[in-house]
DNA sequence: GATTGACGCCGAG
DNA sequence: CTCGGCGTCAATC
């Protein structure tokens, strides 16, 4: 049986930030050094930090993991980096206070979209089929909660009709990231 | 149970 | 092409 961690010292995380091309990136790290959450870029550092801290109120700022945040920033701008998924906290929240994933279903979805290669896309339906379910919509909802955007490429999941589909940080951000990976988009559609 | 989604499909304008 | 309506399923209330 897994020992439950309680709020307090153990749930304190460290947040690192990085400024790149006038955008501010941030990520939260557990005591073990694993990523617990990633923020989409903001235009000021406070917004970037609070994007993380609103889910993890107990935190301290630290440059300890700045290198990783730099990497994430590069990925946002289209660099094809093979990010080590072992650096991501995949445990379920009920087991560790510093985890971010809530259910097994969410984790399965996260793991599935992590397989989508750089510069390619899959549909919500594709993901659902890989998971043996017809809950296309449930898949979309789960992806919408992805705590690790950019690194877990939820921006590579689009609708079955070829249109871009939704994105929590705004569709423009999704379009930006796909464009940075070399995909061409015309009037909200991937052009083949 | 009832409602709510980053969806999919089909049929009517 | 754009809507609406219904199917579907996990999470949340």
């Amino acid at each position: 049986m897994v020992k439950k961690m309680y709020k307090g010292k153990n749930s304190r995380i460290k947040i690192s930030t990085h400024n790149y091309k006038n955008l501010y990136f941030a990520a939260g790290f557990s005591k073990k050094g694993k990523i617990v959450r990633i923020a989409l870029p903001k235009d000021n550092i406070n917004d970037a930090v609070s994007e993380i801290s609103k889910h993890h109120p107990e935190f301290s700022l630290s440059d300890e993991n700045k290198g990783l945040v730099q990497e994430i920033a590069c990925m946002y701008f289209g660099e094809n980096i093979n990010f080590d998924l072992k650096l991501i906290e995949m445990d379920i929240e009920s087991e560790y206070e510093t985890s971010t994933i809530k259910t097994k279903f969410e984790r399965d979805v996260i793991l599935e979209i992590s397989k989508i290669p750089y510069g390619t896309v899959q549909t919500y339906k594709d993901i659902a089929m890989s998971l043996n379910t017809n809950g296309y919509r449930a898949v979309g909802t789960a992806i919408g909660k992805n705590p690790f955007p950019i690194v877990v490429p939820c921006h590579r999941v689009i609708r079955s009709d070829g249109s871009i589909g939704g994105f929590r940080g705004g569709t423009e951000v999704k379009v930006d990231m796909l464009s940075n990976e070399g995909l061409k988009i015309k009037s909200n559609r991937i052009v083949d």
Side-chain angles (χ1 to χ4, degrees):
Chain A
M1 187 166 115
V2 183
K3 199 174 181 181
K4 183 168 170 108
M5 291 199 168
Y6 296 95
K7 292 209 164 158
K9 269 190 265 177
N10 289 333
S11 66
R12 177 174 288 270
I13 63 158
K14 288 182 180 171
I15 299 179
S16 290
T17 63
H18 179 60
N19 178 9
Y20 187 44
K21 297 188 183 179
N22 278 333
L23 288 176
Y24 291 84
F25 295 80
F29 298 83
S30 71
K31 219 171 188 177
K32 292 177 290 183
K34 290 198 175 191
I35 301 176
V36 291
R37 183 170 289 272
I38 295 172
L40 287 165
K42 309 286 182 204
D43 52 19
N44 69 78
I45 192 165
N46 285 334
D47 286 354
V49 170
S50 60
E51 189 67 24
I52 308 291
S53 65
K54 69 182 175 194
H55 297 278
H56 299 277
E58 296 183 55
F59 71 97
S60 52
L61 294 173
S62 160
D63 280 343
E64 203 173 307
N65 300 101
K66 200 178 182 62
L68 281 176
V69 183
Q70 287 177 10
E71 244 181 83
I72 292 167
C74 291
M75 291 174 79
Y76 176 85
F77 286 106
E79 237 179 88
N80 185 2
I81 295 174
N82 193 5
F83 200 90
D84 185 2
L85 289 180
K86 286 186 171 54
L87 294 171
I88 289 177
E89 180 54 81
M90 289 289 184
D91 285 326
I92 310 288
E93 188 172 333
S94 58
E95 297 174 10
Y96 296 101
E97 288 293 344
T98 51
S99 311
T100 325
I101 300 175
K102 283 205 156 83
T103 67
K104 181 176 183 302
F105 182 74
E106 282 174 26
R107 178 165 58 189
D108 289 345
V109 169
I110 296 282
L111 291 174
E112 200 57 40
I113 57 185
S114 299
K115 298 179 191 165
I116 307 175
Y118 178 93
T120 69
V121 290
Q122 274 190 26
T123 66
Y124 294 95
K125 185 181 181 182
D126 290 336
I127 304 298
M129 284 171 68
S130 306
L131 297 176
N132 283 315
T133 172
N134 292 315
Y136 320 126
R137 211 164 172 171
V139 167
T141 307
I143 295 178
K145 296 179 194 163
N146 176 21
F148 317 110
I150 305 172
V151 166
V152 172
C154 56
H155 58 284
R156 295 183 194 142
V157 187
I158 64 169
R159 288 201 189 170
S160 292
D161 63 2
S163 63
I164 297 303
F167 198 74
R168 268 215 126 27
T171 330
E172 324 78 48
V173 179
K174 192 170 182 177
V175 170
D176 265 359
M177 283 197 273
L178 291 173
S179 307
N180 290 341
E181 293 190 12
L183 290 164
K184 294 199 175 145
I185 294 152
K186 242 184 251 168
S187 53
N188 205 43
R189 269 166 183 285
I190 300 274
V191 303
D192 251 334

